[in-house]
């Protein structure tokens, strides 16, 4: 160990009487040859729990370019509920996300903020632990036996406010901790002095307020609860970054790519993504500290607090002080009416969820993988013989092409699904069947790839020949994106029927093919999409339960669902960037609310499908070549 590091370690250690828990953890790391400042950094990054955790962290970060940087962590002190109240809050978190989508409150677990985030040097963190225990002990007798929570709602906020008299005790506790931490650990700690609250939802769409309030009223704030003051830390470098969680392992193919394992968390700065190719992002691994490119479809969005470290906590044990009181009340609070009320709430929640499942839904889906997506725009030339007959040049080409009235050249602007696209579509149908999703009607863009996707989804659902596909020209993609600058010559309904697709021949589209204009403006496309989704929904009986399946294009997911939910259209530039990120068979789901013709976006009934690229393989060139 270097002399300055040894002196620093001795200086910190001398502040504590005897051997502190931090010293007991630090000594084995120093004995293994790790520098003191790096060993201390590893202990703090793992919450100073065990030597094994710190060693594992050090091995994982052996290639971390910032390992030597003296960057302190940021800390915050939260008051967190436990027990049955915490379970009810988590139920609300899940159900509000399912029905109304993610909002800002989902980023962090249920808590009351006592002290805002502040920095603390690694070698002084144990002082925070001591201060938390000492201040907790001094307030243990004055801490409220129970905390009264009152629901408050506004168009952008929903949460529980704490009664003023009880909040004053919590503020005094926060001020005491802040004062001691500032004085003894050289930290600038700011206690939270605004009205104490526990946030349920924040920054949500105003039209979700009523639904969120109804869900919040199912929470009994008087549920048994033990409150815990917990100290958390986060990496201050990534405060404004997005967080992704790896769904699959990815092994780098190039030196600038990032190794990720399933479950890894990755920091992504949205401002730096201009350097990345389509479908890729630049990220920094939370596990290793390394930075590089990674495929975006290998990840999903994670919560902000998923990368935080929980350090120490102080449990306010009020059981001994309130034993006499609870003995008089438990027959009411735990074993009597309140317990039955809790059960009745759970039953009513289940019943409400069942009624939600019976509401009308609209599932908008992008088509499956198409052949030109795999083999390029010249795919047709690759599988035509000299006399113009089709043959299967690769197993991912379809085994045959449907007959058209003119030449097969029409397929260049109206390509079919690949074999993998057919399999994907059937797989989605089977997943919908497993989830017992009832599809009552199906609408498809006139593009062949969309009709084929609808056909194979219905086969997976075992509904082919029972539910017919309604071909709606108004569902076609934004025509500005057509490379030929002309509307493709789609297969006619008669040709589709002859090719054995289950088409509703009696259906007359809301927008005839002749109404599609080449290179239409973005405003015209948005207007067309808004009109067609409203006409489709109004044509399906409001009293009839079930899901309306719409198979369209990547652009359909935003243009149709946002119009249905009453949301404004996106900026045209943002729209194009967003559409590029939508994979084959990407889905959005809208659900009708109790009020007829009031819709909101919720999670789709099944997960989307992710798959990797498979390069062409020539055994002769690869195996035999020297």
């Amino acid at each position: 160990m270097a002399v300055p590091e040894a002196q620093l370690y001795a200086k910190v250690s001398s502040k504590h009487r005897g051997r502190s828990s931090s010293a007991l953890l630090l000594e084995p790391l120093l004995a293994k040859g790790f520098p003191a400042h790096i060993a201390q950094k590893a202990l703090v990054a793992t919450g100073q729990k065990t030597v094994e955790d710190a060693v594992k962290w050090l091995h994982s970060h052996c290639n971390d370019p910032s390992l030597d940087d003296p960057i302190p962590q940021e800390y915050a002190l939260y008051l967190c509920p436990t027990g049955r109240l915490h379970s009810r809050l988590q139920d609300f978190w899940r159900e509000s996300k399912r029905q109304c989508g993610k909002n800002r409150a989902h980023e962090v677990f249920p808590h009351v903020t006592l002290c805002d985030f502040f920095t603390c040097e690694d070698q002084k963190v144990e002082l925070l632990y001591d201060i938390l225990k000492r201040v907790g002990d001094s307030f243990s007798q004055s801490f409220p036996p129970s905390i009264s929570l009152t629901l408050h709602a506004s168009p952008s906020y929903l949460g529980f406010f704490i009664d003023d008299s009880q909040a004053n005790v919590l503020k005094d506790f926060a001020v005491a901790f802040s004062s001691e931490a500032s004085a003894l650990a050289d930290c600038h700690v700011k206690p939270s002095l605004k009205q104490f609250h526990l946030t349920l939802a924040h920054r949500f769409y105003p039209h979700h307020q009523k639904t969120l309030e109804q869900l919040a009223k199912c929470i009994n704030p008087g549920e048994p609860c033990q409150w815990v003051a917990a100290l958390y830390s986060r990496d201050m470098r990534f405060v404004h970054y997005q967080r992704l969680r790896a769904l699959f392992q990815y092994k780098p193919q190039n030196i600038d790519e990032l190794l990720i394992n399933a479950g890894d968390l990755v920091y992504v700065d949205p401002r730096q993504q201009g350097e990345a190719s389509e479908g890729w992002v630049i990220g920094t691994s939370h596990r290793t500290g390394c930075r590089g490119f990674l495929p975006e479809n290998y990840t999903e969005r994670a919560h902000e607090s998923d990368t935080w470290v929980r350090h120490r906590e102080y449990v306010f044990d009020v059981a001994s002080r309130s034993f006499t009181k609870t003995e008089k009340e438990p027959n009411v609070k735990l074993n009597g009416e309140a317990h039955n009320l809790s059960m009745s709430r759970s039953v009513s929640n289940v019943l409400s969820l069942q009624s939600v499942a019976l509401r009308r839904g609209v599932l908008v889906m992008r088509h499956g993988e198409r052949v030109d997506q795999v083999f390029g725009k010249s795919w047709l030339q690759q599988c035509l013989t000299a006399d113009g007959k089709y043959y299967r040049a690769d197993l991912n080409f379809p085994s045959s092409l449907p007959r058209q009235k003119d030449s097969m050249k029409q397929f260049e602007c109206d390509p079919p699904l690949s074999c993998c696209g057919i399999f994907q579509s059937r797989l989605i149908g089977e997943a919908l069947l497993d989830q017992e999703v009832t599809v009552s009607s199906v609408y498809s863009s006139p593009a062949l790839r969309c009709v084929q996707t609808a056909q194979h989804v219905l086969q997976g659902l075992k509904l082919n020949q029972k539910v017919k596909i309604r071909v709606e020209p108004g569902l076609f993609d934004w025509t500005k994106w057509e490379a030929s600058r002309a509307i493709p010559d789609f297969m006619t309904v008669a040709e589709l029927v002859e090719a054995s697709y289950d088409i509703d021949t009696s259906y007359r589209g809301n927008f005839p093919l002749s109404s599609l204009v080449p290179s239409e403006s973005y405003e015209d496309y948005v207007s067309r999409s808004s009109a067609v989704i409203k006409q489709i929904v109004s044509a399906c009986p409001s009293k009839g339960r079930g899901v309306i399946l719409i198979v369209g294009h990547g652009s359909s997911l935003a243009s149709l669902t946002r119009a249905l939910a009453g949301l404004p259209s996106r900026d045209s530039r943002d729209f194009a960037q967003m559409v590029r990120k939508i994979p084959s068979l990407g889905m959005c789901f809208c659900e009708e609310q109790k009020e007829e013709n009031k819709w909101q976006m919720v999670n789709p009934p099944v997960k989307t499908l992710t798959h990797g690229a498979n390069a062409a393989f020539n055994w002769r060139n690869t195996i035999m070549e020297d």
Side-chain angles (χ1 to χ4, degrees):
M1 178 169 49
V3 173
E5 291 175 345
Q7 290 174 344
L8 176 63
Y9 168 56
K11 183 179 178 182
V12 174
S13 299
S14 66
K15 290 189 178 182
H16 302 278
R17 288 178 295 179
R19 283 152 54 85
S20 67
S21 59
S22 177
L24 291 172
L25 293 171
L26 189 59
E27 285 180 356
L29 297 176
L30 299 178
K32 290 177 182 290
F34 294 110
H37 68 289
I38 291 179
Q40 190 75 64
K41 189 173 188 176
L43 286 172
V44 169
T46 55
Q48 297 207 22
K49 301 217 173 33
T50 67
V51 174
E52 291 75 16
D53 287 344
V55 169
K56 184 178 179 181
W57 186 92
L58 286 164
H59 286 315
S60 297
H61 285 258
C62 61
N63 295 317
D64 183 349
S66 66
L67 189 59
D68 273 316
D69 295 347
I71 304 171
Q73 294 275 305
E74 284 189 326
Y75 298 82
L77 186 64
Y78 286 166
L79 186 68
C80 305
T82 63
R84 201 180 300 171
L85 177 59
H86 179 261
S87 298
R88 295 292 177 266
L89 291 168
Q90 291 287 28
D91 291 342
F92 171 85
W93 248 249
R94 284 189 292 270
E95 189 58 23
S96 64
K97 189 174 181 181
R98 190 191 75 82
Q99 292 198 35
C100 303
K102 188 176 178 182
N103 64 67
R104 191 71 181 86
H106 289 115
E107 292 291 343
V108 186
F109 42 81
H111 71 279
V112 177
T113 302
L114 297 176
C115 296
D116 297 329
F117 275 99
F118 60 92
T119 57
C120 180
E121 297 174 32
D122 291 346
Q123 65 270 25
K124 297 178 180 178
V125 171
E126 191 170 9
L127 292 171
L128 298 181
Y129 303 166
D130 296 339
I131 293 166
L132 178 59
K133 184 178 187 310
R134 185 163 57 251
V135 174
D137 286 343
S138 66
F139 276 82
S140 61
Q141 293 303 310
S142 58
F143 192 85
S146 63
I147 293 180
S148 299
L149 302 172
T150 305
L151 188 63
H152 172 79
S154 74
S156 63
Y157 176 84
L158 182 72
F160 287 121
F161 280 12
I162 297 178
D163 178 75
D164 285 345
S165 61
Q166 297 170 339
N168 288 335
V169 177
L170 301 181
K171 288 179 182 178
D172 291 342
F173 172 80
V175 169
F177 174 86
S178 301
S179 300
E180 290 207 31
S182 299
L184 301 178
D186 299 326
C187 303
H188 179 64
V189 186
K190 182 181 177 182
S192 179
L193 298 178
K194 55 189 176 182
Q195 187 168 17
F196 274 19
H197 58 274
L198 191 155
T199 300
L200 296 175
H202 183 39
R203 294 185 188 172
F204 48 84
Y205 287 114
H207 66 276
H208 286 155
Q209 181 182 350
K210 189 173 181 180
T211 301
L212 291 168
E213 281 190 62
Q214 290 172 343
L215 291 172
K217 288 174 182 176
C218 293
I219 304 171
N220 175 14
E223 292 276 17
C225 173
Q226 194 168 42
W227 293 89
V228 173
L231 194 66
Y232 288 88
S233 75
R234 68 184 183 186
D235 194 321
M236 62 187 298
R237 295 173 298 167
F238 304 112
V239 171
H240 300 296
Y241 282 49
Q242 293 178 350
R243 290 149 185 83
L244 303 178
R245 177 180 283 102
L247 298 170
F248 316 102
Q249 184 187 59
Y250 179 75
K251 294 182 179 180
Q253 309 297 312
N254 298 292
I255 195 170
D256 60 352
E257 294 175 2
L258 183 66
L259 170 67
I260 54 173
N261 294 326
D264 278 2
L265 292 159
V266 180
Y267 298 105
V268 172
D269 185 353
R271 298 167 297 182
Q272 298 176 351
Q273 299 314 307
E275 306 170 35
S277 303
E278 182 181 338
W280 292 76
V281 293
I282 305 172
T284 302
S285 170
H286 173 69
R287 179 175 60 85
T288 67
C290 296
R291 186 172 182 267
F293 292 91
L294 66 149
E296 189 174 16
N297 65 347
Y298 276 50
T299 65
E300 66 178 0
R301 287 291 295 271
H303 297 145
E304 179 183 335
S305 60
D306 289 347
T307 55
W308 294 1
V309 177
R310 185 171 178 128
H311 287 258
R312 297 294 185 270
E313 61 183 35
Y314 187 90
V315 180
F316 291 98
D317 185 5
V318 297
S320 58
R321 288 190 286 121
S322 57
F323 180 77
T324 305
K325 181 179 178 182
T326 54
E327 180 141 75
K328 294 178 182 177
E329 296 180 359
N331 290 334
V332 177
K333 245 187 172 178
L334 298 177
N335 305 324
E337 295 177 8
H339 181 64
N340 290 335
L341 175 62
S342 176
M343 290 177 65
S344 66
R345 286 184 187 276
S346 299
V347 171
S348 65
N349 286 349
V350 171
L351 292 175
S352 67
L353 292 182
Q354 288 175 344
S355 66
V356 164
L358 292 174
R359 295 176 192 167
R360 281 198 306 169
V362 173
L363 181 62
V364 182
M365 181 186 300
R366 188 190 177 192
H367 56 76
E369 179 186 87
R370 62 194 207 191
V371 289
D372 61 330
Q373 193 177 334
V374 183
F375 300 105
K377 295 195 178 298
S378 62
W379 67 273
L380 196 57
Q381 283 78 19
Q382 300 173 42
C383 48
L384 287 179
T385 62
D387 57 354
K389 292 183 179 178
Y390 175 81
Y391 77 99
R392 198 176 188 184
D394 184 284
L395 286 180
N396 202 20
F397 281 112
S399 56
S400 62
L401 295 177
R403 285 194 295 176
Q404 292 211 41
K405 58 181 179 296
D406 296 321
S407 69
M408 282 196 290
K409 290 288 185 182
Q410 292 175 227
F411 288 118
E412 286 184 343
C413 296
D414 187 22
L417 293 180
S418 65
C419 272
C420 285
I422 292 170
F423 169 75
Q424 293 168 347
S425 304
R426 194 173 295 121
L427 192 65
I428 291 292
E430 291 170 356
L432 291 169
L433 181 64
D434 288 341
Q435 293 299 315
E436 299 181 353
V437 175
T438 303
V439 172
S440 57
S441 52
V442 180
Y443 291 81
S444 171
S445 160
L448 177 58
R449 55 193 180 273
C450 298
V451 174
Q452 289 179 318
T453 299
Q455 177 79 11
H456 293 290
V457 168
L458 286 173
Q459 287 180 2
L461 276 163
K462 298 183 179 178
L463 288 176
N464 49 310
Q465 300 181 346
K466 296 178 183 176
V467 177
K468 300 288 187 180
I469 301 168
R470 297 172 179 175
V471 179
E472 173 52 66
L475 293 172
F476 186 56
D477 209 352
W478 185 10
T479 61
K480 179 184 176 181
W481 287 344
E482 283 302 300
S484 64
R485 301 299 179 194
I487 305 301
D489 193 2
F490 300 114
M491 292 181 66
T492 65
V493 167
E495 288 173 329
L496 291 170
V497 171
E498 185 182 350
S500 300
Y501 295 112
D502 298 314
I503 306 297
D504 185 347
T505 55
S506 65
Y507 178 72
R508 296 294 176 264
N510 296 294
F511 285 79
L513 275 172
S514 58
S515 68
L516 295 181
V517 179
S519 300
E520 67 187 328
S521 68
Y522 178 62
E523 291 72 21
D524 287 343
Y525 169 68
V526 169
S527 176
R528 165 164 63 91
S529 299
S530 177
V532 75
I533 186 62
K534 289 173 183 175
Q535 288 167 354
I536 285 174
V537 167
S538 63
C540 297
S542 58
K543 294 182 179 179
R545 302 302 180 185
V547 170
I548 304 167
L549 172 62
I550 297 176
V551 182
H553 307 266
S555 57
S556 306
L557 271 67
S559 63
L560 298 179
T561 57
R562 290 181 72 88
L564 188 58
L567 303 176
S569 60
R570 302 178 69 122
D571 178 86
S572 59
R573 288 168 295 183
D574 294 338
F575 181 76
Q577 291 292 330
M578 178 272 302
V579 170
R580 289 191 184 98
K581 298 179 180 179
I582 296 174
S584 299
L585 292 164
M587 290 177 281
C588 281
F589 190 60
C590 286
E591 193 172 65
E592 190 176 32
Q593 299 307 288
K594 288 183 179 178
E595 302 88 349
E596 193 173 318
N597 290 324
K598 294 288 185 182
W599 299 80
Q600 68 179 25
M601 294 181 67
V602 298
N603 287 334
V606 297
K607 299 289 186 182
T608 51
L609 179 69
T610 304
H611 65 90
N614 188 43
F617 172 67
N618 185 304
W619 67 270
R620 188 183 302 279
N621 294 344
T622 305
I623 306 300
M624 300 298 292
E625 189 179 58
D626 291 331

